[in-house]
């Protein structure tokens, strides 16, 4: 089978830094993506890692360790609008099909 | 970024009827699109891969006769929920990727289906 594990909920305060971890077990791995979804909305792309290391995009960074089947999303300078669900997703090939984790609901408090 | 449009955003139908959901790539061609289903506070579950000009590929456990997928052009895929039942009520989302332009998947706005 295949599985992606991430915490179900995380709470943090405005201005803080939060890390959302994702471990995966899949038959095949091409890359790890992160998506943000607000209630009732469509997922939007945040970051993608195909190789080990850190990718930085503004306040968001993502890390991948292929040998550990592990990645994380780092959100800095948290804002209230960052309250949303965050999903890690594995691409098993170049075809574009994504296998999603269960999602982490982030609540940012004042 | 690329735009994927999904229609309708909400639909309520009676049990036993069929509902068609459209997914369009507005500014790029998509030979492959993907259909997902999402329950409240849950993950996106891949239902099928829609292939332009050929049959869709369904994930294990998804009834192909229940969820009919047609990908008749490079910019349009449709999902038809046939003989809908209350348990088919869910949030359905499509996605497409613009190949050779990165690994970002673009999602439609989603369709909230309620079967009464």
């Amino acid at each position: 089978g295949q599985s992606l594990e991430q915490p179900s909920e995380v709470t943090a305060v405005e201005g803080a830094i939060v890390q959302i971890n994702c471990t995966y077990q899949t038959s095949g791995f091409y890359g790890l993506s992160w998506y943000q979804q607000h209630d009732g909305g469509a997922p939007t792309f945040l970051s993608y890692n195909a190789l080990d290391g850190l990718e930085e995009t503004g306040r968001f960074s993502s890390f991948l360790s292929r040998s550990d089947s592990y990645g994380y999303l780092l959100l800095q300078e948290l804002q209230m609008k960052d309250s949303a669900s965050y999903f890690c997703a594995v691409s098993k090939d170049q075809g574009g099909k994504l296998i999603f984790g269960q999602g982490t609901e982030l609540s940012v408090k004042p | 970024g690329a735009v994927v449009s999904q229609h309708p955003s909400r639909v309520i139908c009676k049990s036993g009827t069929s509902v068609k959901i459209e997914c369009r790539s507005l500014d790029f061609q998509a030979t492959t699109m993907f259909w997902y289903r999402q329950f409240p506070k849950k993950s996106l579950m891949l239902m099928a891969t829609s292939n332009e000009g050929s049959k869709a590929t369904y994930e294990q456990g998804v009834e192909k006769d229940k969820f009919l997928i047609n990908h008749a052009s490079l910019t349009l895929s449709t999902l038809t929920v046939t003989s809908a039942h209350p348990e088919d009520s869910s949030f359905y989302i499509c996605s497409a990727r613009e190949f050779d332009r990165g690994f970002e998947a673009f999602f439609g706005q989603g369709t909230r289906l309620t079967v009464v």
Side-chain angles (χ1 to χ4, degrees):
Chain A
Q2 41 205 12
S3 67
L4 286 83
E5 299 289 332
Q6 48 180 132
S8 58
E9 295 179 342
V10 172
T11 301
V13 296
E14 269 188 300
I17 299 172
V18 72
Q19 178 173 313
I20 300 174
N21 298 322
C22 174
T23 57
Y24 59 87
Q25 278 190 315
T26 56
S27 54
F29 178 87
Y30 198 79
L32 186 71
S33 303
W34 289 90
Y35 286 82
Q36 178 193 62
Q37 185 182 33
H38 286 96
D39 261 353
T44 55
F45 174 81
L46 294 176
S47 192
Y48 175 79
N49 295 72
L51 303 175
D52 286 359
L54 190 68
E55 291 284 339
E56 297 182 76
T57 311
R59 294 189 297 118
F60 296 167
S61 303
S62 60
F63 172 83
L64 175 66
S65 169
R66 293 176 70 121
S67 59
D68 294 323
S69 298
Y70 163 75
Y72 66 71
L73 177 70
L74 191 73
L75 298 87
Q76 302 182 73
E77 300 173 20
L78 280 175
Q79 302 174 9
M80 297 294 289
K81 67 177 182 180
D82 296 330
S83 293
S85 292
Y86 292 83
F87 295 90
C88 58
V90 164
S91 303
K92 292 171 60 176
D93 52 37
Q94 295 187 70
K97 184 164 72 171
L98 295 171
I99 307 300
F100 282 85
Q102 292 301 307
T104 299
E105 188 169 353
L106 172 64
S107 298
V108 181
K109 308 293 186 185
Chain B
V3 177
V4 174
S5 177
Q6 189 173 337
H7 177 81
S9 58
R10 289 180 177 275
V11 59
I12 301 173
C13 72
K14 292 185 177 180
S15 287
T17 60
S18 295
V19 173
K20 180 185 285 188
I21 303 169
E22 292 187 349
C23 180
R24 294 181 185 273
S25 55
L26 296 187
D27 51 1
F28 66 100
Q29 294 184 331
T31 55
T32 306
M33 293 184 177
F34 304 91
W35 287 95
Y36 295 85
R37 180 174 181 176
Q38 187 176 34
F39 292 102
K41 304 292 186 184
K42 297 293 184 183
S43 184
L44 288 83
M45 300 299 297
L46 179 66
M47 298 174 66
T49 302
S50 173
N51 305 299
E52 188 268 335
S54 65
K55 291 183 180 180
T57 305
Y58 290 83
E59 295 300 303
Q60 191 172 9
V62 177
E63 299 176 61
K64 61 181 180 181
D65 295 329
K66 173 75 166 173
F67 300 100
L68 299 179
I69 291 172
N70 186 304
H71 195 148
S73 77
L74 287 171
T75 59
L76 173 64
S77 174
T78 60
L79 169 68
T80 301
V81 183
T82 63
S83 186
H85 288 101
E87 57 265 32
D88 298 325
S89 298
S90 190
F91 191 54
Y92 294 88
I93 316 176
C94 68
S95 80
R97 193 159 64 90
E98 191 174 10
F99 287 93
D100 298 328
R101 296 284 294 274
F103 288 92
E104 178 177 355
F106 298 95
F107 286 82
Q109 305 94 314
T111 297
R112 174 74 59 194
L113 170 63
T114 303
V115 184
V116 297

